[in-house]
Amino acid sequence: MSLQTKSTNRPGTAGGADTSVRRMRLVVLLGRILPALALLAVLWIVTLVEWMWLIGSAQPQPLYTTIIAGLMSIYVLVRTVPEIRRIGDAGAGDEDRHVVTGYLDRLRGLGFRVFHDVPGDSGDIDHVIISRHGVFSIETRMRRRPAEGPYRLRYDGRAVAVAGGPSDRSAIAGPRARARQLRRILRQGTGRDFAVRAVLLYPGWYVESPDPGDGPDVWVLSPKSLPMWIKHETESLHGSEVRLAADALADYLSKYR
């Protein structure tokens, strides 16, 4: 039996990530970068006037304002360069989110029900896939890629190590919480207890991860690996159960319209 596929965005959140990124950029630009640049401009104007007076045989001493302007230049650079990079990272992360959303939407052709931005008490679930192979709660994690070297991430089933860095056990705590949250939502909507697999995706990274049969309760993958992993799972749900869970989740999302 073929399943009717469905992709659901919470109204007002289809562009929610865009709005959040734009708001963050505006706050950073108006609240941090522009004031610092304005202060720097004023200091250099004062310095220029002092030098003009000196050249005109006047008595002002521009040495002190020059020292102050130089120190403020260093301060402004230290404060603004990370913020500028932050804006750039947000733009790259926003693009990655769009890529992942579009990629998952194309999985509807496999009979998957796909949902995005599912709200809950502990935060939004980025994506949900419901299929005969099970229910999957998916979180997308953006990480700055190194300027040089491979974009490699290692997951041993317990912790995540990015680009050869230290192992981080907290990385999979969020996906676990989102999976429990989705399980509660479906139980409240259907009266059934659906098992939910937690998934953590790292766009743009090559992920070394243990095989599903090795027993990690959280999958850590690149987005392109996800369909293969899902298809290798045993078909544990009937078509009627897929529809039941998907309809319950759609009804839940309708409350936020």
Side-chain angles (χ1 to χ4, degrees):
M1 180 190 301
S2 64
L3 295 176
Q4 179 183 358
T5 60
K6 183 176 183 180
S7 174
T8 304
N9 284 316
R10 175 159 49 112
T13 62
D18 293 343
T19 302
S20 177
V21 170
R22 286 195 296 269
R23 185 182 300 114
M24 185 278 294
R25 288 174 173 170
L26 189 62
V27 168
V28 171
L29 182 62
L30 297 181
R32 301 179 184 178
I33 296 178
L34 287 184
L37 292 177
L39 175 61
L40 183 61
V42 169
L43 287 172
W44 278 110
I45 289 172
V46 171
T47 300
L48 178 61
V49 171
E50 291 278 343
W51 278 107
M52 291 176 63
W53 283 345
L54 180 62
I55 293 173
S57 300
Q59 296 303 318
Q61 295 294 329
L63 178 61
Y64 303 111
T65 53
T66 302
I67 293 174
I68 294 173
L71 293 175
M72 287 305 301
S73 297
I74 296 173
Y75 170 78
V76 168
L77 288 175
V78 170
R79 289 295 302 271
T80 59
V81 168
E83 301 298 343
I84 292 172
R85 287 179 178 173
R86 183 182 174 194
I87 290 178
D89 289 346
D94 186 40
E95 182 178 351
D96 284 340
R97 289 185 185 90
H98 280 296
V99 170
V100 172
T101 298
Y103 182 75
L104 295 182
D105 278 338
R106 291 197 294 272
L107 300 182
R108 291 176 292 169
L110 300 176
F112 296 171
R113 302 290 187 96
V114 182
F115 300 81
H116 305 293
D117 300 316
V118 178
D121 295 337
S122 62
D124 286 7
I125 304 169
D126 292 338
H127 315 283
V128 173
I129 289 178
I130 302 175
S131 73
R132 291 177 180 268
H133 301 275
V135 180
F136 303 86
S137 169
I138 302 167
E139 181 174 328
T140 302
R141 188 74 53 80
M142 309 301 168
R143 289 297 299 264
R144 174 188 282 272
R145 293 181 281 271
E148 297 181 357
Y151 304 152
R152 189 178 298 274
L153 182 150
R154 186 175 181 276
Y155 174 56
D156 62 5
R158 298 180 300 275
V160 175
V162 179
S167 296
D168 180 11
R169 291 178 178 269
S170 66
I172 58 177
R176 281 197 182 110
R178 302 296 185 273
R180 292 194 295 267
Q181 176 174 284
L182 179 59
R183 190 168 186 168
R184 291 193 298 270
I185 291 171
L186 293 179
R187 185 166 56 243
Q188 292 169 0
T190 67
R192 297 276 303 275
D193 191 18
F194 287 89
V196 178
R197 169 74 68 178
V199 181
L200 177 58
L201 299 182
Y202 282 89
W205 287 82
Y206 174 76
V207 181
E208 296 178 354
S209 192
D211 293 334
D214 293 339
D217 63 317
V218 179
W219 290 353
V220 178
L221 306 167
S222 65
K224 291 184 178 179
S225 299
L226 180 60
M228 180 183 66
W229 280 55
I230 292 178
K231 289 173 66 177
H232 277 82
E233 287 288 282
T234 303
E235 291 191 1
S236 57
L237 299 179
H238 297 294
S240 59
E241 294 173 309
V242 172
R243 288 190 293 272
L244 176 65
D247 289 346
L249 189 54
D251 289 342
Y252 173 82
L253 288 171
S254 70
K255 300 175 184 177
Y256 293 88
R257 295 182 178 177

